Amino acid sequence: MKTISYTFLILIASVTSVYGQKKYNKILLESATLHIGNGQVISTGSIGIENGVITLVKNTLAYTYNKSDWDTIINLSGHHLYPGFVAPNSTLGLTEIDAVRASRDFYEMGTFNPHVRAQIAYNCESDVIETVRTNGVLMIQTTPRGGRISGQSSLMNSSCWNWEDGTVKADDGIHIEWPSAYSRNWGDPITKPNETYEDQKRELIAYLTNAKASTNVKDKNTPIQYSALSDCFTGEKRFYFHANEIQQINDILDLITEMEIKFPVIVGGSESYLVADRLKIKKVPVMIGRLHSLPQHDDDPVDLPYKLPFLLQQAGVQFCLQNEGDMEAMNARNLPFLAGTAMSYGLTEEEAIRSITLSACEIMGISKNYGSIEIGKKATLFGSVGSALEMKGNQASVILINGNFVPTTNFQTDLYKKYKTKYGK
């Protein structure tokens, strides 16, 4: 048994790897502020981990233990412990340098590509993932882009040997880019109705109708694109509808009713607060788009994107945060700070943490094993020197993925340390 103070955590992280070089089967993390992920907080808590699974969550002050029961005991007094943050709807792992076409593997040619699978293109060796992981983002919904139906996303760990080893949930759902009801020329502040919107909508609905008709039909001539959609219609996978405008969202809600879609999700949802009552009644969750954005319309309040989580929370609509947009892969490291912004504009701290942990896992169907620090769940969690929702506080002191230690440093922190020594600091 080893007892370790937090000052030696960097050493522990450097010699212990998720890749199986060395394993600790029974780990106790003690005396940290536990943010459970479901809204609860234990100000001085301990977590016991056995074979990668959380087996104990206790108040340290009321818990007496035998040191010989644990392989490793890590004291995190003054630190915060969180469930691993989750980055939904991200190209992270599918791109390395956005300006280099050869390193972008998230875009497929064609309009309807429900059979395209992001899972097998996931790059575990990505340097970008490394920089995101050290900010607490331990799971990624790696997602394809392009076309009207982009393909299938998968839930992946942010540290792994390969895509097989890193898979949390394969092919969790299919992503649909709903046509926009409005158009705007670049640099033009005037928004105009999309004159072809109805035609584009009809084309998409006709495609989905034909695909549904082929569900459970065993015919070798059924197109693979239709077969790929079958699990979404039977409820085994989710439909992710990418839409921001109120017209789009209302039309999607009508389609959900008409086609009896069991697990729909709105992705983006800038104007979702305007139809919050319908979303609540139909129990349709929203993956809210990047909060650090300008409003959709010139006459919107400038802080509307910041307040959107609070507006949906007040209306009783389930939601989580995501970061789709320019340079989204490398900017995934800012996910905890998006939650911090939501906290500044109405959410409590624990509600903000839930929006990037348990709520995201519930929406994507993996909350049985992930998303909160509870007995029976996988030990995918991390410790931070300060509040992980603040830039200065977000300093990883320990990271575990499925109970395995992962380094808390990356090539950027290594360079920082290297060049500090240049001037004798």
Side-chain angles (χ1 to χ4, degrees), residues 87-92 94 106 113-122 140-145 149-156 167-176 228 232 237-242 265 267 287 363-364:
N89 181 40
S90 178
T91 56
L92 187 59
L94 302 180
F106 55 80
N113 294 308
H115 59 300
V116 170
R117 303 171 63 229
Q119 178 199 23
I120 58 176
Y122 185 72
I140 304 153
Q141 185 192 36
T142 191
T143 305
R145 299 278 187 257
I149 301 181
S150 305
Q152 304 183 47
S153 58
S154 288
L155 275 297
M156 313 294 290
T167 300
V168 175
K169 184 178 183 180
D171 308 326
D172 69 294
I174 289 178
H175 292 254
I176 297 176
C232 290
K237 296 180 182 178
R238 281 149 173 75
F239 265 123
Y240 295 98
F241 293 98
H242 293 240
V265 180
V267 181
M287 288 182 169
I363 290 170
M364 294 183 287

Side-chain angles (χ1 to χ4, degrees), residues 24-27 49-55 378 402-403:
Y24 294 96
N25 294 322
K26 300 185 72 175
I27 304 165
I49 300 164
E50 296 185 35
N51 298 315
V53 177
I54 298 170
T55 57
K378 301 285 187 180
N402 293 330

Side-chain angles (χ1 to χ4, degrees), residues 15 122 125 179 187 212 220 318 338-339 341 358 384 386 400 404:
V15 300
Y122 185 72
E125 303 297 333
K212 184 176 183 180
K220 63 181 180 179
Q318 188 180 28
L338 298 182
T341 297
L358 186 57
S384 178
L400 291 97
N404 296 306

Side-chain angles (χ1 to χ4, degrees), residues 40-299:
Q40 296 180 320
V41 182
I42 301 177
S43 58
T44 308
S46 294
I47 301 173
I49 300 164
E50 296 185 35
N51 298 315
V53 177
I54 298 170
T55 57
L56 178 148
V57 180
K58 294 279 189 179
N59 185 321
T60 305
L61 302 178
Y63 172 56
T64 302
Y65 62 89
N66 189 336
K67 289 186 177 182
S68 62
D69 291 340
W70 305 96
D71 297 334
T72 303
I73 299 172
I74 300 177
N75 186 289
L76 291 169
S77 179
H79 290 212
H80 297 256
L81 269 173
Y82 301 89
F85 295 157
V86 185
N89 181 40
S90 178
T91 56
L92 187 59
L94 302 180
T95 182
E96 195 67 9
I97 304 172
D98 287 349
V100 178
R101 178 64 184 90
S103 76
R104 299 198 306 266
D105 208 10
F106 55 80
Y107 189 92
E108 193 76 17
M109 299 298 291
T111 304
F112 299 103
N113 294 308
H115 59 300
V116 170
R117 303 171 63 229
Q119 178 199 23
I120 58 176
Y122 185 72
N123 176 21
C124 285
E125 303 297 333
S126 168
D127 285 339
V128 181
I129 291 178
E130 186 178 303
T131 65
V132 171
R133 183 176 65 232
T134 51
N135 272 21
V137 179
L138 306 187
M139 278 190 290
I140 304 153
Q141 185 192 36
T142 191
T143 305
R145 299 278 187 257
R148 187 63 66 205
I149 301 181
S150 305
Q152 304 183 47
S153 58
S154 288
L155 275 297
M156 313 294 290
N157 286 320
S158 62
S159 182
C160 52
W161 269 113
N162 47 43
W163 62 263
E164 294 99 333
D165 175 60
T167 300
V168 175
K169 184 178 183 180
D171 308 326
D172 69 294
I174 289 178
H175 292 254
I176 297 176
E177 291 285 344
W178 196 266
S180 177
Y182 297 92
S183 62
R184 175 187 290 178
N185 295 326
W186 188 86
D188 186 353
I190 305 300
T191 300
K192 301 175 183 177
N194 177 9
E195 295 179 358
T196 62
Y197 173 69
E198 291 298 328
D199 292 335
Q200 293 172 343
K201 185 177 72 171
R202 276 194 293 269
E203 180 187 25
L204 174 58
I205 293 175
Y207 190 92
L208 294 175
T209 301
N210 291 335
K212 184 176 183 180
S214 68
T215 300
N216 298 325
V217 175
K218 295 182 179 180
D219 185 345
K220 63 181 180 179
N221 295 319
T222 300
I224 188 173
Q225 290 90 338
Y226 286 177
S227 300
L229 286 160
S230 295
D231 288 343
C232 290
F233 290 115
T234 59
E236 295 177 47
K237 296 180 182 178
R238 281 149 173 75
F239 265 123
Y240 295 98
F241 293 98
H242 293 240
N244 284 299
E245 303 155 2
I246 186 171
Q247 178 69 59
Q248 292 175 299
I249 297 171
N250 273 322
D251 287 344
I252 291 168
L253 293 175
D254 290 342
L255 178 72
I256 289 167
T257 301
E258 181 181 341
M259 301 193 76
E260 299 179 335
I261 294 174
K262 296 182 179 179
F263 293 110
V265 180
I266 300 295
V267 181
S270 295
E271 297 183 356
S272 56
Y273 69 100
L274 297 173
V275 287
D277 289 343
R278 288 196 73 191
L279 290 168
K280 179 182 178 181
I281 291 170
K282 293 183 177 295
K283 298 181 179 179
V284 178
V286 179
M287 288 182 169
I288 299 174
R290 184 183 295 177
L291 268 61
H292 295 171
S293 302
L294 292 173
Q296 286 284 104
H297 306 290
D298 294 342
D299 55 353

